[in-house]
Each structure stands twice: as C-alpha cells, then as structure tokens.
Amino acid sequence: MYEIAKPALRKPDAAIFRIDLLAPMSATTLDGTSLLPVGAKTKGVLAILALSERRPVARRALSGLLWSRRSDDQARASLRQEIHRLAEALRPLGTDIIDVQRHTLSLRPVLASVDVERYFNAGPGNILKLPETDGMLAPDLNGIDGAFDDWLNEQRGALRRHLTSVLEQAAQTLADPEHREQAARRLLALDELSETGWRTYLRFLASHGEQAAALQAAAECSEIFRNIRGCEPSPAIVDLISRLRSGRRDADSSEIRRGDDTEDGRGADTSGLAPVRSGSFQEEGLPEGRVLRVEIRALRVLSPDPALADMAQIVTDTLTEGMNRDGLFQMIEPADEPDVKIGQSAGPSPEEALSGRRTDADYVFSGVLRVSEAARKFQGVQRIFLLLRLHDVRRDNALIWAERLELSDGTPEKYVDQVICDATWRILIAESRNILPRLVASLSPLQMAFRALGLLLRNETGAREEAEHLLLKALESEPERPFHYLCLALVLLVQIQDSWEVEKRDWLQRACDAARVLAARLPESAAVRLLLSRALLQDPLRRKEGLALLQNAPVTERRNVFALTQSFAALAEGNASACAQMREDVQSMIPAYPLLLMFRAETVLALFLAGRSGEALRAVREGLAIFPAQSGLMVLFLAIAGTMTEGQDEAELEDIRKRLLFRCPELTTEKILARYNYLCPEHIERLRQGLTASGMPETLGAGVLCG
C-alpha cells in the first residue's frame, strides 16, 4: 500500500518528469511532451513504481501483480521485456528515471514527481489548495491483470480514506466558514453518507440565511440516507433538519452552527460539560474510525499588559498546531465564545469555566497566564507563569495532567513543544486505561490499539503477546492509521527485551519496519524519528543510520524519547559510563512517561558495564520486585551477581537461575550474547564472564555449571 512520501522529495515544478495518475494516466516532460508508454503492462510497471514511495520494488512483486496467471519463469521474462520497453519510452529524457537493479526497480525521487503524493502529503490546512479529485487512480489501467486490479483498488481505497479524513478535519477546524463549506462539499462528493459533511454544509447554509437552499439540501440528505442505509441520519442531523423545516428564528443561531449533538452519540445536553454517566464510556466509547477530539480553551490572562494577551495567543496557536501535527488527534474549536479574562480580576477558575460550557471534545486544555506580583514587588523583576491543565471530558472533566512553566524570556514556543509531548502521552495513556475494562469483541480497530497500549503498560509477557495480536488485527482493518504503527513499534521493541530465540529475532526487523512506516506518514514528528533511531541502533548493521537520525534530533526532545535513544546510542558505541549517567535522567522521567519503565533492563545493563555493580544490583532487584517474571532482568541479575566477590547471596542466585531456566529451559549464554550483539567486544566479554560465573550453561546441553 502506498505510504506518504518523505518531505525530501522535490516539489513538482522542480522535477523534469511528471507522472499523473488521477484521471487517465499521463507521463510528461517539463514542456508537456508525452512519454507515456504504449503498452498497458508497461504503464502498469510505471504506475506501480510511482505508487511505491520511491522504495525499491522487487521484480518478483512486479511480475506477480502483472502476470499472476503465468509461471514464474514466463512472468520474469515478460517483465524483462516491459522494463526494456519502459526504458525506451523514457529515453528522450536523457537520464535514467528508473533505477534498475538485479532484483529491484525504483523511481528516482530527485527527477520525477507524482501527483498522488501531493494529496497524501496534504493536511487540513492546505488540502483546498489542491484541485478537487474523486480519488479514482488510473481508471484506464483497469483489466490489466486480476492481481493488479486488486492492488490498484487498494491504492484507490487508501487515497479516498486519506482524503476523507483530511477533509473531515478541514470541515470542522478551518477558521473561515466558507473554507469549511468548501471542504464539506468536497467531502460529500467523496462520501455522500458523511455526516460531518452534511452537518457542516447545512450549518453553513443556515448561518448565511440561505433558507431555501438549506431545506433542499436537508431533503436531499434525508433521501440519500433512506435510499442507501434504509434509515434516517444521526439524531444531530435530524434535529438540525427539524429546526430548518420548522422555520424557527434560531435556525441560524450558534446552536445550529455548532450543533446540539455530535456524531459520537453523546446526548444533546445543553448544560455544558455534564458529568458522564457511570459506565457510559464502557458502553459507548469512541465511535468506530473516529480519532480523539481535543479542544484548547482560550487562556485567561491575569494582567492588564497587552503583551501578555499576545503571548497567550502564541501559546494557544502553537499548542493547537503541535497537537494537530502528528494526526493522532482532531483539534476542534471551542463550542461557544472563549472565556478570555484580561485584567487583575481572576474571575472563575478553569474548572468553573469548564463546568458550564458545552464541548464536542474528549479532552480539553484550560489555563492561566499571569505575572508574579511578589517577584515584581520584592525583586523588581517580571516573572511570567503559565499554568496548563488537561481534562478528560467523559470522566466528568477529571484532571489528568497539569504543568506550570515560567515564560519570563518571552519565547513560549520552545516550552510549548515539551508540553505537546507530555500532554500527548498523557492523553494516550488515559485513553488506553479507559478502554481496558471493555470486551475485546466490542472494540473498533482504534480502540484495539488503545487497549494494546494499556496492555503494554502492564509489562507482562502474555499481555504483550495479546497487544501484538490486537495491533495486527487493527492494521488489517485500518492499515493507514499512524497510531497503530506507533503502538506496534513500541510493543515489538519491548518484546525484544525478553527475546532469546532465533526464530523471534524478526521482532527487531518488524519494529524497524513499523517505525519506518510511521516516519513516512509523520515525517515532521521528531519523536517518531527518534523511535526509528532507537530501533535501528539495536542492529549493528544499521547503527550508522540510527546515529544519523539521532544527531538531527531537536533539543526539545531531550527530556523524553531523546534521552532514551541517546543513552542507548552511547551504550551501543561502548560508552557505558555516559549511558549510565543519562539513564539516571531517564529514570526521573518515569512518572511522566511510564513507558520508559519498559526499558529498565537497559539502565541496569549500563550501570553494570560502567563498573557500578553495586548500583546495578540494587536496580535489578527493584526491577524484579515490580516485574518478577521478566527474563531480561533475571539474566542481568545473574551476570552482575556472578562478577561480585562480596555481598553475593548464593541462595538468591540459585533461586533466580532456577526461575530463569524454568521459564526459558533452552536459554544459554550463547543465546544471551547473541541478543546483545550490538555491544562492543569488551562489554560482551564482561557479560560472558558474569554469566559463566553464575552457572549459566554456555551452550545447549552443557548443563548448569555450578550450584
């Protein structure tokens, strides 16, 4: 399936060769000269390469898609002929657009542009700048081969799903009402059953006094739903249509513009953020396919200084942009007028302001920006403080996160980046815990991914296996959702901590693959690039690539993913002392980032290899007290205890060794060292000495060496 192109690709007007796949396929030079091959199979080869994100495509895959009913030998021979014909057709360019290798082919990214890439890379803010499309890729290529037709339909589906998702966000979040209406019309052209599209379009007509057009659109909406679904639209749209047909004077009021209900089935409660019924989330939860909605309320500014009002707007805008960046959340505008307070009077607290206001959001930010009067009076300096709070709306506005920051240097942007990372993880973890009590059979694919994240936090072997199963099932239904790949990469990286069997070593490759897909879909996310770096660093053959990604990491990530990845890089490079020092910082972040607890074994390993065996032994005992079944910690306990000449408890060592071999009866020193192949030879030898001294068998069948 097509994956979003990397941002390094040239803009279309910088390429010397253009491939257009929307509407009938075309291939032209800068001056408009057509170089489109004549043969259908030759066009098919070019189309497959154009939709493969410039990654190499195996010849076997090409021949399987285009000659699925022929033998392998016949298919390979036919492919060679088509490659020759394609090269001849593109010869006028004077350079090789296609990179032809012995086993693979790929489209060179620097020289060619593909129109589909612009749509896959578009977001809510710029989707309307692109020409409208129905997402029908290369209709003239139908019928080439059954396998190719299936593949092409998958690409069309992926594009339509992406366009639908982006247009839904645009229809709800763009500031200009006319832009929202334009996005809604495009959305309805793609999906005439889109309730978001109908709701936005009807509200626009009502708010602009176009009563006749609104009534006609309402009738059309009702007819479409009855004819296709055999039922009426959602209660929100039915209520909206009723208001329009009744001719009520408030048909274009804020109630109509913002709606009295949402598509997720929450009632039309007009009292604001009403308390959630006990158990209501377990019964309803997120509607299938919908991402979490986040709203940022206008900050209260407790100062008469206009500069602080500007700073509050910068904080709000930066926070909105950052939370929307990775596609994990849908940012929505406040449902009513912002509660802005400028002046000395504190006014209602954020919680009081929340309690009487409506919202369609699942999570809401509130906050206060103030100047410390004590600092001004007694120190003669201006100290500006920002207090941000994050509330879970469906849990009666429960406070799930808060942060107090000092912004006295007047540059809030650099602080907000860290807030975005902290708040994102808090939301994901809160949502995963909300999902855990529900029955698996009732979960949508997105809810399965949240449940998988919740299971991962338990750090139990069986729970991690269930998490992986859920994520694979979610990806079957929603292969385009980045959140699934994020969770899968995390699960696999944690699985590796207890992986000793050769047949399970593919976890690392799969973790790298998942992280690469995620990086391709979210190319601007520093945290995602660091996650990919962390996976690559564990493979000695790809360490340079991982280090290169790490070196380009921004400073704003140093408190979380950066610290974890940088410390692991130091360990892989043989600098255990530096790794141990950085891991102390990592440990202090665990309350805010509980996922870091999953990598406690690496902290223990760093302390041990840095010669701090006493600290390492205390750390591994603490780890085993929390996770007594984690084999990675048991292995490190044996290695540490085996090298210590004092304070060694033989009974404790014997107990740990028996527990480990009971859980992993075929585990040997040889397998353990293969698992740590990313370490330098000196560190591997130190591990070997400790494991041998503790009585671990060197190879299978060697038996326990002591005890």
Side-chain angles (χ1 to χ4, degrees), residues 65 129 278 322 349 355 371 387 395 437 471 493 585 595 649 664 682 694:
L65 288 175
K129 296 179 181 179
S278 176
S349 69
S355 64
V371 175
L387 176 62
R395 287 288 177 265
L471 289 167
L493 280 175
D585 297 333
L595 281 170
D649 187 334
C664 311
E682 178 185 351
S694 70

Side-chain angles (χ1 to χ4, degrees), residues 27 38 74 102 179 236 302 360 403-404 515 548 573 650 676 681:
V38 177
Q74 289 177 324
R102 181 177 180 182
H179 289 169
L302 305 185
D360 290 339
E403 184 71 61
R404 180 175 179 268
E573 292 288 284
E650 291 293 340
Y676 289 107

